[in-house]
Every structure is written in structure tokens, then in C-alpha cells.
Amino acid sequence: MMSWSYSPDLAVTSLPALIAQRMAARDAPFIDDGQGRSLDFADYWQLSGRFASALSASGVGAGDRVAVQVDKSIEAMALFHAVMRCGGVLLPLNTAYTIAELDYFIGDAEPKVVVCAPAVAAALTAVADRHGCRAVMTLDAAGNGTLFEAAALAPPMPAECRCQWDDLAAILYTSGTTGRSKGAMLTHGNLASNALALGELWQFTAADVLLHALPIYHTHGLFTATNTVLVTGGAMIFLARFDAEEVMAQLPRATAMMGVPTFYTRLLQHPALGRDSARHVRLFVSGSAPLLAETHREFERRTGHAILERYGMTETNMNTSNPYDGERRPGTVGLPLPGVQLRITEAATGRPLPRGETGMIEVTGPNVFKGYWRLPEKTAEEHRADGYFITGDLGMIDGDGYVSIVGRGKDLIISGGFNVYPKEVESEIDALPGVVETAVFGVPHPDFGEAVTAALVLKRPDVGPDEQAVLAALEGRLAKFKRPKRVIVVESLPRNAMGKVQKNVLRQTYAKLYT
């Protein structure tokens, strides 16, 4: 892992302090929910400060984790900054996670405080009590709840915790292909360095207005989008969710938009999308899942804009980007960011490979995470001796330095921008009566990038769950994005000579299932 080499002009030592410094001169509205409500930065920062005071009064101090599972809102974003301002470590949790899934995250991270929607407070309180959490507080999409009530009575925060760049700012849980989710530890320096690099590379200024329709429990919407705006003094239209009609209505007010491929495929289905509707926007960015070259070309034909595709992951934030000025090549993720070094290696040995050859993508730089929460052996296993992080993604670098992702070394599925690891889904299906074994894999999907798909073998063909029964059984057990789009009953799973299931064969067999 590498520490950030701090610029001499950065007198501050934490992400919140950097944000406050860079946003101080903004006197125009900063954040707008698209429904007629907006706050300038001073009011937003005061709200965040009151949340921080309420958290401090609940016992949150330096290094304490705060788990948050709330709907997207201006208040939710202010809460995230509040956690960091009082020295805490943010643990954002997908709003689709079930109570059974939350039990694992809370047990593993051991947060001091849990903040959730009022509707799930009773169920989560039982989980939090079991794991020794000090308090459960509530916050809804309208800004109401016990946290807001405590913040309203709290005095303005007298002084922010003086965090250092190498202190933890957040733990984001990321999926692998086996085992349970791992907590990626991100520091203030990891987040700040990436935001500053992207702000410079993508030429963001105080004149920019970002159309933000991404979820804020995922690194893309939570950090990449917001921090890039915040360290360059800009503004955001902060939509609760992606809706093509609403996005089209807000486009004339925006100068930039960040999204996942699903956003762009759905916008292409909107009849009003064209050069006129997109004329105010200077930049469209796509990430979190591969963007089909066909989508890239069709969007450029319709709007005149070449979508800028980049590559990142939970553990590293952004690693590469197509250029702002220069050729944005469909099917590639561009070049390494300033300060980031990327190489292609032979997976087994770590031997660097020449350009044009496919191998494992490894990266190092100030963006690379501190390690996995309470998993030092796993942290060491996924880093080379010289500090490079082994991403698990397969790729190649062409003669001009552009990076292409050609596959994954493991069977991780990325559906709609979210990571799904097959083992967790397989375990749930295998537990159903009548099921012998299951193989879960991803295949191309025009809307989601990849679709979670399951093939299962039954003890008796005429006895056991059918597709609808399996899908019904997974409700309440798995978040919606993890559930298979299709369940296929097969006589047997393909295996190699060693008896290992060949998921590559399944992917090939069902490659056109959704087309």
C-alpha cells in the first residue's frame, strides 16, 4: 500500500477539511434535489455539523464505525460527511440488503452507531443489540427521524476531529467469488487523491453542475461523483434515483452526468434524447460495469457526445480513464490516472507482460486502499511484494497505452454496476429442498451489463422447485440485485477432468439468453 504524497499547498489533513476549504468561496446553491429544494454550502455544512454533534453525543469518536442504511437524500449525504467530521468511519450499506445480510456486516464491522430508515428500526435494533452497538438512530428520505431530532437540539460542532490523511474514512464491503464480503478500508488520503486527480483530468470547475442519479451506498455515487464536485467547488442536482423521464427533464440544467451503462441504454430508449436535449452537457461518464461498444457508438450518433468510460473498483476508486481531450475509444477504459501505475502480469508469477498480451491487472498509487478490515492475511495475499494490488481483473494494454478489460480472473458478476459473488447465491439455492447443486454465473444483458443466472440440478426431475419457486424463495434472503434473472434446470453441470464445474461453458451456452 502506498501513502499519498501530499501537495505542498494542501494545508488541511482530512477529506472534510479539504471539502470545506474548496467550497468556501461558493455563494450559489450547492445541492438541489430536483424537486424544488436546494441548499447553499454553508447551510449544508451546518446541517452536517449538527449531525456530527449528535453522533459525538452518542459516543462516536475517532475510529468508531457508523453503519448507515438509509434512502438517498440531501440529509443522507450530510450524514456521511458528519461521520467523517467527528472522526468516525463510514460504513454505507445497500438499501436492498435484508436483515439477514445486515447481521453479517454489523457483526463484522462492530459499529458504535447504526442509522437506518424508521421502518426497519425495530428489526435492526435487535441485530445491533446482539452485536453490542451503542445506539440505533433513524433518518428517512424526508429528513425526519431520531437523528434529525437529536441534531436539531445539538449545538453547532465546536471543532472537527483532526484526522490525518492515513486515517480511515470509510469501510466499503466488496464481494469476492468465494467466502463472505470483505471490508475495504479507505483512508482520507485515498479519497482525496482520487477526487483531485479526477477533477483535474475531467476539467471540473466551480461552474459545473453534476446530474447525480446514482445510489450513494456504492463507491461510484458515494465518492467518485460527489467528491469530484466538492473538491472543485461545483454543484449537484441530487436525484433520489434514476428515472429516464426525470433525467431528461433535468439535463438542460446540468453540465455533466455520471452513470452506469444501464442509464445510457435507457436514455437511448427515450425519444427526446438528441443533440438538442444534450447540448448543455459537456461530459457524460460511464463506469461500474462494461459499456457495450454498440451503446457508445449509438449514444454518440444520437447526441454528438462520446461517453467517457473509466475503470475503478471499491478497493481503489478510479484507476484509469479515457481522456477528456483526445480519443475516447469504445471498448477501452483509457489510460492510468495521474499518480496511478498499472501493469499487466502473469497471474501465477507476477511477471510483467508486454503490451498487447492479456494478463492480470495490477495497480499501485495513492488511491489504493489500506487493506481489508481485520483480514491481514487476505490483504497480504492480494498485494505483491512491491505494493501492487492484484485486482482480479484480466486485461491488456495496447500500443497507445489504452487499457481494455477482457474478463475477470474469478467468477465475479457485475450486474447493473453491483458486484455479486456466485457462492452466496449458490448457497441459498442449494439449501432448498430437492436441489442437488447449483452453479451461478453471469451472461451478457443489454440493460444490466451482466445478468445473474443460475443453473441447478434436482434430485428428481419431477420433484423440486421450478424457476418461479426458486425466485420466490430468495425474496427476503438476498437483495434484489443478487437474485437470478433466470433459473435453468439442467440434468448435470459441465465439469472438467478434475471434477470442477466449468462456468465458462455455462456462460458460452447461455450467452444469448437475454438477447
Side-chain angles (χ1 to χ4, degrees):
M1 289 71 72
M2 177 183 289
S3 295
W4 181 19
S5 297
Y6 312 109
S7 300
D9 62 332
L10 291 181
V12 296
T13 61
S14 71
L15 180 63
L18 179 63
I19 290 169
Q21 179 193 72
R22 295 301 181 94
M23 293 294 292
R26 185 171 188 85
D27 56 6
F30 153 62
I31 191 165
D32 175 340
D33 68 0
Q35 303 300 312
R37 180 183 176 223
S38 65
L39 293 178
D40 62 24
F41 183 74
D43 289 338
Y44 171 85
W45 210 237
Q46 183 181 66
L47 172 64
S48 174
R50 288 188 180 277
F51 281 158
S53 291
L55 291 173
S56 295
S58 297
V60 177
D64 290 327
R65 279 76 63 204
V66 177
V68 181
Q69 189 197 42
V70 298
D71 289 325
K72 183 180 178 181
S73 67
I74 293 174
E75 283 75 15
M77 199 68 228
L79 168 59
F80 293 165
H81 288 129
V83 173
M84 298 181 199
R85 290 176 70 182
C86 63
V89 179
L90 176 65
L91 177 65
L93 296 169
N94 192 322
T95 51
Y97 284 146
T98 65
I99 295 298
E101 291 168 312
L102 293 172
D103 183 80
Y104 167 73
F105 298 119
I106 292 172
D108 190 59
E110 296 184 317
K112 181 69 67 72
V113 171
V114 174
V115 183
C116 65
V120 299
L124 258 184
T125 296
V127 173
D129 288 347
R130 185 163 60 251
H131 294 295
C133 297
R134 181 162 177 166
V136 174
M137 308 179 85
T138 62
L139 185 70
D140 67 16
N144 303 311
T146 59
L147 175 62
F148 190 82
E149 292 166 4
L153 299 174
M157 192 173 187
E160 297 179 14
C161 179
R162 292 194 59 79
C163 295
Q164 302 300 306
W165 291 120
D166 202 42
D167 290 337
L168 287 189
I171 297 174
L172 271 59
Y173 277 83
T174 181
S175 302
T177 56
T178 59
R180 301 305 298 264
S181 296
K182 307 181 294 295
M185 300 186 291
L186 297 167
T187 67
H188 287 262
N190 292 150
L191 301 178
S193 67
N194 215 232
L196 291 168
L198 292 174
E200 178 182 350
L201 189 69
W202 293 343
Q203 299 185 22
F204 271 77
T205 71
D208 275 303
V209 179
L210 176 71
L211 182 52
H212 190 304
L214 292 157
I216 54 172
Y217 46 72
H218 184 279
T219 190
H220 189 173
L222 173 62
F223 293 136
T224 303
T226 60
N227 287 342
T228 301
V229 170
L230 285 160
V231 302
T232 54
M236 291 188 289
I237 303 170
F238 207 62
L239 303 184
R241 63 189 59 82
F242 177 84
D243 175 86
E245 200 69 39
E246 179 65 17
V247 167
M248 289 299 299
Q250 298 292 343
L251 267 184
R253 302 175 54 211
T255 66
M257 175 179 153
M258 298 186 197
V260 297
T262 303
F263 287 14
Y264 296 107
T265 59
R266 292 182 180 175
L267 286 177
L268 283 169
Q269 295 168 12
H270 197 288
L273 180 71
R275 290 176 182 266
D276 186 63
S277 61
R279 71 182 187 278
H280 297 286
V281 182
R282 67 172 183 84
L283 179 64
F284 289 96
V285 179
S286 181
S288 297
L291 181 74
L292 295 177
E294 293 83 356
T295 302
H296 187 288
R297 285 190 279 266
E298 177 62 13
F299 196 87
E300 185 171 13
R301 186 189 69 79
R302 288 270 296 275
T303 68
H305 287 277
I307 298 172
L308 188 152
E309 191 171 9
R310 85 300 182 278
Y311 162 60
M313 56 197 309
T314 302
E315 291 94 335
T316 63
N317 296 291
M318 295 308 105
N319 296 312
T320 71
S321 171
N322 269 274
Y324 182 79
D325 292 319
E327 184 184 3
R328 301 176 192 173
R329 296 186 181 177
T332 79
V333 292
L335 305 116
L337 297 185
V340 176
Q341 298 175 60
L342 181 148
R343 68 189 182 192
I344 306 297
T345 67
E346 189 176 69
T349 65
R351 178 179 64 86
L353 296 174
R355 290 188 176 188
E357 290 195 24
T358 297
M360 182 64 65
I361 297 175
E362 299 182 3
V363 297
T364 189
N367 58 313
V368 177
F369 73 140
K370 196 169 187 175
Y372 292 114
W373 174 252
R374 293 176 173 170
L375 292 173
E377 296 85 2
K378 188 65 176 175
T379 299
E381 179 184 325
E382 298 197 10
H383 285 81
R384 299 292 185 191
D386 59 0
Y388 274 79
F389 172 60
I390 305 167
T391 67
D393 291 321
L394 299 175
M396 62 166 286
I397 303 174
D398 69 16
D400 296 321
Y402 282 71
V403 179
S404 295
I405 311 297
V406 299
R408 285 182 291 279
K410 299 178 182 178
D411 293 318
L412 179 67
I413 303 166
I414 302 179
S415 183
F418 299 114
N419 289 355
V420 181
Y421 60 95
K423 185 66 176 178
E424 183 179 14
V425 185
E426 289 165 357
S427 296
E428 294 290 347
I429 300 176
D430 287 344
L432 299 177
V435 176
V436 175
E437 61 178 347
T438 310
V440 171
F441 53 98
V443 296
H445 189 284
D447 206 16
F448 295 97
E450 285 185 308
V452 180
T453 307
L456 61 87
V457 178
L458 299 176
K459 292 179 182 178
R460 290 175 49 190
D462 56 337
V463 178
D466 60 12
E467 181 175 38
Q468 294 307 312
V470 171
L471 295 177
L474 295 180
E475 290 188 18
R477 297 299 304 169
L478 292 173
K480 187 176 181 180
F481 69 86
K482 296 180 183 178
R483 297 177 213 156
K485 297 286 184 293
R486 291 293 310 274
V487 176
I488 304 156
V489 177
V490 297
E491 290 186 3
S492 62
L493 298 176
R495 298 179 183 276
N496 63 16
M498 300 299 291
K500 184 177 179 180
V501 174
Q502 295 176 300
K503 290 189 177 180
N504 61 316
V505 174
L506 290 169
R507 286 191 287 266
Q508 292 168 6
T509 301
Y510 298 103
K512 299 188 180 300
L513 186 63
Y514 302 96
T515 59

